[in-house]
Amino acid sequence: LLHGPHAEVLGWKVQVDRTTFENNSQAVASADKEIRDSTFRNNGYGLFNTERVSVYKSTFTGSTAALSGGRGVIKQNTITNNVTGVQPFFEGFELTYNTITNNGTGVILGQYDSYTPPVHHNNIHSNTTYDLKVTGASNKNAANNWWGTVDTTAIDAKVYDGRDSASLGLLTYQPLLTAAVDIVNLVVADTQAP
């Protein structure tokens, strides 16, 4: 089921605004889309192995994997109550100013040729199994996020990395934010922002 007021092709990119994606095995697949102010509810995958798909100010809930993809920007979204919040296809997404909570695993970080996109200024906490899981042997950086606490022992307990399996890289999460990021009232300076 797909319903909403606005979808148009802008050059090589499809822009989708204010749309609800519900009860699909794969709500969005393929490449070259920009999605804004939309709702993804009860899908197998909200995004499925996408490339160059960026999503702004949207909500993902009730999916096996809310976002599976890479080479896109995920900004100002609420990703909650999914089995996996964000998982990589290729290197994964740039994640900024999102709330990623109450999933089984919040974020799985991937890599492609040792590159991992930036992950900062997110609220990543209260996920059941792990808040963040590292894949691959390269070290990853997820500094400047709010982990629901400033207690590094509690944060470490919710991160799966080279401290848990010698074949994985280590996660650097410090410096860490000391309070939640307000993603609703965010004023963003760059022109690509929502």
Side-chain angles (χ1 to χ4, degrees):
L1 175 65
L2 163 69
H3 51 88
H6 191 73
E8 65 180 287
V9 177
L10 299 173
W12 54 268
K13 186 184 290 188
V14 175
Q15 184 165 335
V16 179
D17 293 314
R18 297 177 311 279
T19 302
T20 298
F21 300 87
E22 189 170 24
N23 299 321
N24 298 287
S25 59
Q26 302 167 2
V28 174
S30 194
D32 303 321
K33 294 168 187 70
E34 186 173 288
I35 301 167
R36 295 177 181 273
D37 300 306
S38 293
T39 300
F40 292 77
R41 186 173 36 240
N42 300 326
N43 297 292
Y45 290 83
L47 301 187
F48 179 72
N49 293 353
T50 60
E51 293 182 72
R52 300 176 309 277
V53 173
S54 294
V55 184
Y56 304 96
K57 294 184 178 180
S58 295
T59 301
F60 293 81
T61 187
S63 297
T64 301
L67 297 108
S68 172
R71 301 179 179 158
V73 175
I74 306 300
K75 185 182 275 187
Q76 280 185 279
N77 298 285
T78 300
I79 303 162
T80 187
N81 296 316
N82 302 284
V83 176
T84 301
V86 182
Q87 70 183 30
F89 178 65
F90 293 111
E91 68 274 12
F93 296 104
E94 177 181 328
L95 300 171
T96 56
Y97 302 102
N98 300 289
T99 294
I100 304 168
T101 59
N102 299 311
N103 301 287
T105 298
V107 177
I108 300 172
L109 288 183
Q111 68 186 48
Y112 187 74
D113 291 337
S114 298
Y115 174 72
T116 301
V119 176
H120 60 85
H121 292 91
N122 299 286
N123 302 308
I124 306 172
H125 61 85
S126 304
N127 295 288
T128 308
T129 308
Y130 295 109
D131 289 329
L132 194 142
K133 187 175 180 180
V134 170
T135 62
S138 294
N139 294 337
K140 311 284 191 293
N141 188 330
N144 296 307
N145 289 289
W146 170 241
W147 301 96
T149 182
V150 294
D151 178 352
T152 57
T153 302
I155 295 169
D156 286 338
K158 298 294 276 197
V159 170
Y160 188 83
D161 67 356
R163 293 170 190 87
D164 303 292
S165 173
S167 66
L168 299 175
L170 298 173
L171 179 72
T172 299
Y173 59 79
Q174 291 189 25
L176 52 90
L177 300 180
T178 58
V181 178
D182 181 357
I183 69 166
V184 175
N185 298 308
L186 179 67
V187 176
V188 181
D190 68 44
T191 58
Q192 295 298 317

Short mmCIF file of all heavy atoms in Angstrom, two decimals, residues 100-136:
data_model
loop_
_atom_site.label_atom_id
_atom_site.label_comp_id
_atom_site.label_asym_id
_atom_site.label_seq_id
_atom_site.Cartn_x
_atom_site.Cartn_y
_atom_site.Cartn_z
N ILE A 100 17.02 6.93 17.05
CA ILE A 100 17.03 5.50 16.73
C ILE A 100 16.92 4.75 18.05
O ILE A 100 17.91 4.54 18.76
CB ILE A 100 18.33 5.13 15.97
CG1 ILE A 100 18.47 6.01 14.71
CG2 ILE A 100 18.33 3.64 15.61
CD1 ILE A 100 19.83 5.94 14.04
N THR A 101 15.69 4.40 18.43
CA THR A 101 15.43 3.81 19.74
C THR A 101 14.43 2.66 19.66
O THR A 101 13.65 2.57 18.71
CB THR A 101 14.85 4.88 20.70
OG1 THR A 101 13.64 5.40 20.15
CG2 THR A 101 15.84 6.01 20.96
N ASN A 102 14.47 1.81 20.67
CA ASN A 102 13.49 0.73 20.86
C ASN A 102 13.42 -0.24 19.68
O ASN A 102 12.36 -0.79 19.39
CB ASN A 102 12.11 1.31 21.18
CG ASN A 102 12.14 2.11 22.47
OD1 ASN A 102 12.64 1.64 23.47
ND2 ASN A 102 11.66 3.33 22.41
N ASN A 103 14.52 -0.44 19.01
CA ASN A 103 14.65 -1.48 17.98
C ASN A 103 15.33 -2.68 18.62
O ASN A 103 15.86 -2.58 19.72
CB ASN A 103 15.50 -0.96 16.82
CG ASN A 103 14.91 0.29 16.19
OD1 ASN A 103 13.92 0.23 15.49
ND2 ASN A 103 15.52 1.43 16.46
N GLY A 104 15.39 -3.82 17.93
CA GLY A 104 16.21 -4.93 18.41
C GLY A 104 17.67 -4.49 18.42
O GLY A 104 18.33 -4.43 19.45
N THR A 105 18.19 -4.14 17.24
CA THR A 105 19.51 -3.53 17.09
C THR A 105 19.29 -2.17 16.43
O THR A 105 18.59 -2.07 15.42
CB THR A 105 20.43 -4.40 16.22
OG1 THR A 105 20.64 -5.65 16.87
CG2 THR A 105 21.78 -3.72 15.99
N GLY A 106 19.89 -1.13 16.99
CA GLY A 106 19.67 0.22 16.46
C GLY A 106 20.36 0.45 15.14
O GLY A 106 19.71 0.74 14.13
N VAL A 107 21.70 0.34 15.12
CA VAL A 107 22.48 0.63 13.92
C VAL A 107 23.53 -0.45 13.74
O VAL A 107 24.22 -0.83 14.69
CB VAL A 107 23.20 2.00 14.03
CG1 VAL A 107 24.07 2.26 12.81
CG2 VAL A 107 22.20 3.12 14.25
N ILE A 108 23.66 -0.95 12.52
CA ILE A 108 24.76 -1.83 12.14
C ILE A 108 25.63 -1.02 11.19
O ILE A 108 25.15 -0.53 10.16
CB ILE A 108 24.25 -3.12 11.46
CG1 ILE A 108 23.33 -3.90 12.39
CG2 ILE A 108 25.44 -3.98 11.03
CD1 ILE A 108 22.63 -5.08 11.74
N LEU A 109 26.90 -0.85 11.56
CA LEU A 109 27.81 -0.08 10.71
C LEU A 109 28.57 -1.01 9.79
O LEU A 109 29.17 -1.98 10.23
CB LEU A 109 28.82 0.69 11.56
CG LEU A 109 28.29 1.88 12.34
CD1 LEU A 109 29.44 2.58 13.06
CD2 LEU A 109 27.58 2.87 11.42
N GLY A 110 28.56 -0.70 8.51
CA GLY A 110 29.31 -1.46 7.52
C GLY A 110 30.50 -0.69 7.03
O GLY A 110 30.85 0.37 7.57
N GLN A 111 31.12 -1.19 5.99
CA GLN A 111 32.24 -0.50 5.36
C GLN A 111 32.34 -0.95 3.92
O GLN A 111 31.86 -2.00 3.54
CB GLN A 111 33.55 -0.80 6.10
CG GLN A 111 33.99 -2.25 5.95
CD GLN A 111 35.20 -2.55 6.81
OE1 GLN A 111 35.23 -2.21 7.97
NE2 GLN A 111 36.19 -3.19 6.22
N TYR A 112 32.94 -0.11 3.12
CA TYR A 112 33.21 -0.44 1.74
C TYR A 112 34.58 0.16 1.44
O TYR A 112 34.75 1.37 1.55
CB TYR A 112 32.13 0.16 0.83
CG TYR A 112 32.23 -0.27 -0.60
CD1 TYR A 112 31.86 -1.55 -0.97
CD2 TYR A 112 32.69 0.59 -1.57
CE1 TYR A 112 31.94 -1.96 -2.30
CE2 TYR A 112 32.78 0.20 -2.89
CZ TYR A 112 32.41 -1.08 -3.24
OH TYR A 112 32.49 -1.48 -4.55
N ASP A 113 35.53 -0.67 1.11
CA ASP A 113 36.92 -0.21 0.94
C ASP A 113 37.38 0.59 2.15
O ASP A 113 37.96 1.66 2.04
CB ASP A 113 37.06 0.63 -0.33
CG ASP A 113 36.91 -0.20 -1.59
OD1 ASP A 113 37.13 -1.42 -1.52
OD2 ASP A 113 36.57 0.37 -2.63
N SER A 114 37.06 0.10 3.33
CA SER A 114 37.43 0.71 4.62
C SER A 114 36.75 2.04 4.90
O SER A 114 37.06 2.71 5.88
CB SER A 114 38.95 0.87 4.74
OG SER A 114 39.56 -0.39 4.69
N TYR A 115 35.80 2.47 4.07
CA TYR A 115 35.09 3.72 4.31
C TYR A 115 33.77 3.45 5.02
O TYR A 115 33.00 2.59 4.62
CB TYR A 115 34.81 4.46 3.00
CG TYR A 115 33.96 5.69 3.20
CD1 TYR A 115 34.48 6.82 3.80
CD2 TYR A 115 32.62 5.69 2.81
CE1 TYR A 115 33.69 7.94 4.01
CE2 TYR A 115 31.83 6.81 3.01
CZ TYR A 115 32.38 7.93 3.61
OH TYR A 115 31.59 9.03 3.82
N THR A 116 33.52 4.22 6.06
CA THR A 116 32.24 4.21 6.76
C THR A 116 31.74 5.64 6.81
O THR A 116 32.46 6.53 7.25
CB THR A 116 32.39 3.65 8.18
OG1 THR A 116 32.91 2.32 8.11
CG2 THR A 116 31.06 3.61 8.90
N PRO A 117 30.51 5.91 6.37
CA PRO A 117 29.98 7.28 6.39
C PRO A 117 29.85 7.82 7.82
O PRO A 117 29.80 7.07 8.78
CB PRO A 117 28.60 7.14 5.75
CG PRO A 117 28.61 5.85 5.06
CD PRO A 117 29.57 4.97 5.78
N PRO A 118 29.75 9.14 7.94
CA PRO A 118 29.62 9.77 9.26
C PRO A 118 28.34 9.36 9.99
O PRO A 118 27.28 9.20 9.38
CB PRO A 118 29.58 11.27 8.94
CG PRO A 118 30.10 11.41 7.55
CD PRO A 118 29.82 10.12 6.86
N VAL A 119 28.48 9.20 11.29
CA VAL A 119 27.36 8.91 12.19
C VAL A 119 27.53 9.84 13.38
O VAL A 119 28.38 9.61 14.24
CB VAL A 119 27.36 7.44 12.65
CG1 VAL A 119 26.25 7.17 13.64
CG2 VAL A 119 27.26 6.50 11.45
N HIS A 120 26.76 10.93 13.42
CA HIS A 120 26.90 11.88 14.53
C HIS A 120 25.61 12.66 14.76
O HIS A 120 24.75 12.74 13.89
CB HIS A 120 28.06 12.86 14.26
CG HIS A 120 27.90 13.67 13.02
ND1 HIS A 120 27.18 14.84 12.98
CD2 HIS A 120 28.35 13.47 11.76
CE1 HIS A 120 27.20 15.33 11.75
NE2 HIS A 120 27.90 14.51 10.98
N HIS A 121 25.50 13.19 15.97
CA HIS A 121 24.36 13.98 16.42
C HIS A 121 23.04 13.23 16.28
O HIS A 121 22.04 13.77 15.83
CB HIS A 121 24.34 15.35 15.71
CG HIS A 121 25.48 16.20 16.16
ND1 HIS A 121 26.69 16.20 15.50
CD2 HIS A 121 25.61 17.04 17.21
CE1 HIS A 121 27.52 17.02 16.12
NE2 HIS A 121 26.89 17.54 17.18
N ASN A 122 23.07 11.96 16.68
CA ASN A 122 21.87 11.13 16.72
C ASN A 122 21.57 10.77 18.17
O ASN A 122 22.44 10.80 19.03
CB ASN A 122 22.11 9.81 15.96
CG ASN A 122 22.41 10.04 14.50
OD1 ASN A 122 21.54 10.38 13.73
ND2 ASN A 122 23.67 9.86 14.14
N ASN A 123 20.33 10.40 18.43
CA ASN A 123 19.93 9.78 19.69
C ASN A 123 19.87 8.28 19.41
O ASN A 123 18.97 7.83 18.69
CB ASN A 123 18.55 10.29 20.13
CG ASN A 123 18.53 11.79 20.30
OD1 ASN A 123 19.37 12.36 20.98
ND2 ASN A 123 17.57 12.45 19.66
N ILE A 124 20.83 7.52 19.91
CA ILE A 124 20.90 6.08 19.67
C ILE A 124 20.92 5.40 21.04
O ILE A 124 21.96 5.36 21.70
CB ILE A 124 22.16 5.69 18.87
CG1 ILE A 124 22.27 6.49 17.57
CG2 ILE A 124 22.14 4.18 18.57
CD1 ILE A 124 23.59 6.29 16.83
N HIS A 125 19.78 4.92 21.47
CA HIS A 125 19.73 4.30 22.80
C HIS A 125 18.44 3.49 22.97
O HIS A 125 17.54 3.54 22.13
CB HIS A 125 19.83 5.36 23.91
CG HIS A 125 18.72 6.37 23.90
ND1 HIS A 125 17.52 6.15 24.51
CD2 HIS A 125 18.65 7.59 23.33
CE1 HIS A 125 16.74 7.20 24.35
NE2 HIS A 125 17.41 8.10 23.62
N SER A 126 18.40 2.74 24.05
CA SER A 126 17.21 1.96 24.45
C SER A 126 16.82 0.91 23.41
O SER A 126 15.65 0.53 23.32
CB SER A 126 16.02 2.88 24.76
OG SER A 126 16.37 3.82 25.75
N ASN A 127 17.79 0.46 22.62
CA ASN A 127 17.54 -0.66 21.71
C ASN A 127 17.76 -1.95 22.50
O ASN A 127 18.59 -2.00 23.40
CB ASN A 127 18.46 -0.55 20.49
CG ASN A 127 18.12 0.69 19.68
OD1 ASN A 127 17.11 0.75 19.01
ND2 ASN A 127 18.98 1.71 19.76
N THR A 128 17.03 -2.99 22.19
CA THR A 128 17.00 -4.19 23.01
C THR A 128 18.33 -4.94 23.06
O THR A 128 18.87 -5.17 24.14
CB THR A 128 15.90 -5.15 22.50
OG1 THR A 128 14.68 -4.43 22.40
CG2 THR A 128 15.73 -6.32 23.44
N THR A 129 18.87 -5.32 21.91
CA THR A 129 20.09 -6.13 21.88
C THR A 129 21.33 -5.24 21.88
O THR A 129 22.15 -5.32 22.79
CB THR A 129 20.09 -7.06 20.65
OG1 THR A 129 18.87 -7.80 20.64
CG2 THR A 129 21.26 -8.03 20.72
N TYR A 130 21.47 -4.42 20.85
CA TYR A 130 22.59 -3.48 20.74
C TYR A 130 22.10 -2.15 20.23
O TYR A 130 21.22 -2.08 19.37
CB TYR A 130 23.67 -4.01 19.77
CG TYR A 130 24.33 -5.27 20.24
CD1 TYR A 130 24.08 -6.48 19.60
CD2 TYR A 130 25.19 -5.26 21.34
CE1 TYR A 130 24.67 -7.65 20.05
CE2 TYR A 130 25.78 -6.43 21.79
CZ TYR A 130 25.52 -7.62 21.14
OH TYR A 130 26.11 -8.78 21.59
N ASP A 131 22.72 -1.09 20.74
CA ASP A 131 22.47 0.23 20.15
C ASP A 131 23.24 0.36 18.85
O ASP A 131 22.75 0.92 17.89
CB ASP A 131 22.89 1.34 21.13
CG ASP A 131 21.95 1.44 22.32
OD1 ASP A 131 20.75 1.14 22.16
OD2 ASP A 131 22.41 1.82 23.41
N LEU A 132 24.47 -0.19 18.83
CA LEU A 132 25.28 -0.13 17.63
C LEU A 132 26.13 -1.38 17.52
O LEU A 132 26.69 -1.85 18.51
CB LEU A 132 26.19 1.11 17.65
CG LEU A 132 26.82 1.43 16.31
CD1 LEU A 132 26.88 2.93 16.10
CD2 LEU A 132 28.20 0.84 16.22
N LYS A 133 26.20 -1.93 16.30
CA LYS A 133 26.97 -3.14 16.03
C LYS A 133 27.93 -2.87 14.88
O LYS A 133 27.52 -2.34 13.84
CB LYS A 133 26.01 -4.27 15.68
CG LYS A 133 26.65 -5.62 15.53
CD LYS A 133 25.59 -6.69 15.31
CE LYS A 133 26.22 -8.04 15.16
NZ LYS A 133 25.21 -9.09 14.94
N VAL A 134 29.20 -3.20 15.07
CA VAL A 134 30.23 -3.02 14.05
C VAL A 134 30.35 -4.29 13.22
O VAL A 134 30.33 -5.39 13.76
CB VAL A 134 31.58 -2.69 14.72
CG1 VAL A 134 32.72 -2.73 13.72
CG2 VAL A 134 31.52 -1.35 15.41
N THR A 135 30.46 -4.14 11.90
CA THR A 135 30.81 -5.26 11.03
C THR A 135 32.12 -4.90 10.34
O THR A 135 32.42 -3.74 10.12
CB THR A 135 29.73 -5.55 9.97
OG1 THR A 135 29.58 -4.40 9.13
CG2 THR A 135 28.39 -5.88 10.62
N GLY A 136 32.91 -5.89 10.01
CA GLY A 136 34.17 -5.66 9.32
C GLY A 136 35.31 -5.36 10.28
O GLY A 136 35.11 -5.02 11.44
#
